[in-house]
Amino acid sequence: MIRINENFLKLQASYLFSDIAKRIAAYQEANPDKSIIKLGIGDVTEPLPLACRDAFHSAIDEMGTRSGFHGYGPEQGYPFLREAIAQNDFQARGADISADEIFVSDGAKCDSGNFQEIFAEGIKIAVADPVYPVYVDTNVMAGRSGPSVDGRYQGFVYLDSTPENGYVPAIPSEPVDLIYLCFPNNPTGATATREQLSAWVEYARESGALILFDAAYVAFVRDDSLPQSIYEIPGAKDVAIEFRSFSKNAGFTGTRCAYTVVPKGLTAADSKGEQHSVHALWNRRHCTKFNGVSYPVQRAAEAVYSDGGRAEVKALTDFYLENAKIVRAAIEDLGYACVGGDNSPYIWIDARRPSWEFFDDLLNEAGVVCTPGAGFGLCGEGHIRISAFNSRENVEMAMERIRKALAK
Ligand code: PLP
């Protein structure tokens, strides 16, 4: 008889977005003449850069010719894109990463969710709280947790991100094997300094742990003192994998292109203590289960590194950062403490009351939708996330409404 993977039954249903939708529907029914502004969304809103569209168009035209047609490409990505990534995102910043350490994929969601597959079932997982849920759920599916009790899966080590630690978690006191870090962070918008990341790298080197570093939001970093890649930290190449994406810098959320860096010298042990290349294992996994990103999409992604593409990506991210600045200024003026929004598109607000209560206040008093922090973990309770992905007009109108509503 066909049977299921019972680990899936441990997964807690996320009611976050359906609860938000229900409350919006109730508000709209009671207030049919009032408009709603949604500042809860993690998807980008601005169109694709012209440089990317031009490259996309030309690649499609090429595909219409016998000589320029591309069928299955290399699973790891075309050399032109892997070279551009290695040179521009790493070597130009002094990080010694080569093109053959880059695996191009269709999303940082899939990569950050799938990477755990190549490690043993019994390893100890550490995740931040609040957290991007993909890291947690994929490890639950893989059988690395017990049941969820009071909002936390048994067996995982949760790293609290709180106002006290500036939303950058401390190194755990108990041993862990696989650590998920995300900076700039979703949902908090917090960034980690060079010293903070160095401490994590040092911990991983000393303890034999591996760090999965999600840098999906790196294009928003404007503070030059902040590291943009974990490989800017000495010694990280031996203990860290990095996930990047074209979703939030160049608006590829619907176009789909991302990449993962797996240094060639990085190893992990088998049950006998013998070391194996993580690069070789990931390459095997990637080639077995993935057939490459389409040629036109990879050409469009390559254009991000052209002079025109660079300028457009800077303008796009500057635009969202200006939105974030407007949000943060308005919320701080009202006396709320926030983090994020300066090197990140997310503003994380200490609501000084339960998340859902603040959510309801903003919806009912101002017609503005945010994301309740409680949906991202226990430590998210008492916070809300506001996203800068919206039009300027909507952001300004939303802040004006919030000022009026909360200043009452
Ligand atoms: N990582 C984080 C932290 C994210 O917030 C997101 C999307 O919101 C992703 C990864 C997904 O990126 P992609 O669009 O490349 O799958």
Side-chain angles (χ1 to χ4, degrees):
M1 195 199 324
I2 181 70
R3 289 174 51 211
I4 60 160
N5 172 354
E6 291 187 23
N7 295 313
F8 278 62
L9 302 179
K10 292 181 201 152
L11 287 168
Q12 297 300 291
S14 171
Y15 296 112
L16 179 65
F17 292 102
S18 59
D19 279 358
I20 291 175
K22 271 187 214 148
R23 289 178 199 225
I24 294 175
Y27 173 82
Q28 267 173 335
E29 206 180 315
N31 304 277
D33 52 326
K34 294 221 173 110
S35 70
I36 284 179
I37 304 174
K38 293 184 180 168
L39 295 184
I41 307 161
D43 197 357
V44 295
T45 50
E46 292 294 297
L48 282 181
L50 181 61
C52 299
R53 277 181 283 145
D54 281 346
F56 217 156
H57 278 297
S58 326
I60 286 171
D61 288 341
E62 249 188 272
M63 293 283 278
T65 66
R66 203 156 262 121
S67 59
F69 173 75
H70 289 74
Y72 293 126
E75 289 94 338
Q76 302 87 345
Y78 284 102
F80 62 78
L81 180 56
R82 299 173 87 196
E83 289 289 350
I85 289 168
Q87 277 170 26
N88 292 284
D89 288 345
F90 299 98
Q91 292 159 15
R93 295 193 57 86
D96 174 27
I97 295 294
S98 59
D100 59 359
E101 294 176 310
I102 309 289
F103 289 83
V104 175
S105 78
D106 62 353
K109 182 177 190 173
C110 330
D111 288 350
S112 61
N114 290 331
F115 212 86
Q116 47 75 29
E117 269 185 37
I118 62 172
F119 302 114
E121 189 180 324
I123 58 169
K124 195 81 168 167
I125 304 296
V127 288
D129 179 356
V131 67
Y132 177 54
V134 173
Y135 318 145
V136 174
D137 289 0
T138 51
N139 278 290
V140 173
M141 291 172 182
R144 296 199 180 90
S145 78
S148 172
V149 177
D150 298 332
R152 284 189 165 180
Y153 290 101
Q154 303 297 291
F156 290 167
V157 172
Y158 287 88
L159 308 167
D160 293 356
S161 304
T162 61
E164 290 71 39
N165 60 27
Y167 303 98
V168 178
I171 307 265
S173 47
E174 58 191 298
V176 296
D177 303 307
L178 190 63
I179 304 155
Y180 290 78
L181 295 179
C182 173
F183 294 108
N185 189 265
N186 177 19
T188 70
T191 50
T193 63
R194 201 165 288 276
E195 293 67 37
Q196 286 166 325
L197 269 194
S198 300
W200 277 104
V201 167
E202 200 177 315
Y203 168 76
R205 291 181 67 88
E206 280 169 7
S207 65
L210 182 78
I211 298 171
L212 297 183
F213 187 74
D214 189 339
Y217 295 95
V218 67
F220 294 90
V221 172
R222 291 293 181 271
D223 179 345
D224 281 341
S225 71
L226 293 171
Q228 298 203 0
S229 163
I230 196 157
Y231 303 117
E232 290 172 37
I233 309 296
K237 267 189 91 173
D238 299 326
V239 292
I241 305 297
E242 184 164 307
F243 304 114
R244 295 266 190 122
S245 173
F246 293 97
S247 284
K248 309 295 162 95
N249 59 350
F252 275 46
T253 51
T255 307
R256 311 306 301 145
C257 197
Y259 66 88
T260 290
V261 187
V262 189
K264 288 186 111 169
L266 200 156
T267 62
D270 64 19
S271 55
K272 297 184 198 81
E274 205 174 302
Q275 295 292 320
H276 296 266
S277 160
V278 169
H279 183 282
L281 289 175
W282 182 245
N283 190 49
R284 189 75 173 85
R285 190 261 169 222
H286 194 71
C287 295
T288 301
K289 295 196 176 182
F290 186 66
N291 237 349
V293 172
S294 79
Y295 174 72
V297 168
Q298 292 195 55
R299 280 292 184 202
E302 181 195 22
V304 163
Y305 301 104
S306 65
D307 289 345
R310 248 185 248 274
E312 285 183 273
V313 164
K314 169 80 170 42
L316 267 179
T317 45
D318 277 350
F319 170 77
Y320 293 126
L321 283 168
E322 185 60 28
N323 281 351
K325 201 167 156 185
I326 293 168
V327 171
R328 192 164 165 161
I331 299 293
E332 283 181 338
D333 267 1
L334 288 163
Y336 290 90
C338 315
V339 63
D342 37 7
N343 294 286
S344 140
Y346 298 123
I347 300 101
W348 186 244
I349 301 163
D350 186 343
R352 304 195 304 251
R353 69 191 105 164
S355 295
W356 280 106
E357 201 176 306
F358 201 41
F359 172 92
D360 284 337
D361 287 348
L362 291 186
L363 178 60
N364 296 321
E365 307 294 324
V368 173
V369 177
C370 65
T371 313
F376 298 101
L378 289 188
C379 294
E381 179 52 285
H383 295 78
I384 58 156
R385 187 190 77 177
I386 288 189
S387 149
F389 296 128
N390 219 311
S391 68
R392 181 64 42 80
E393 193 189 354
N394 275 350
V395 167
E396 283 174 342
M397 202 193 304
M399 291 309 117
E400 203 178 297
R401 290 194 200 169
I402 289 177
R403 269 184 216 277
K404 278 194 194 134
L406 295 188
K408 272 184 201 165

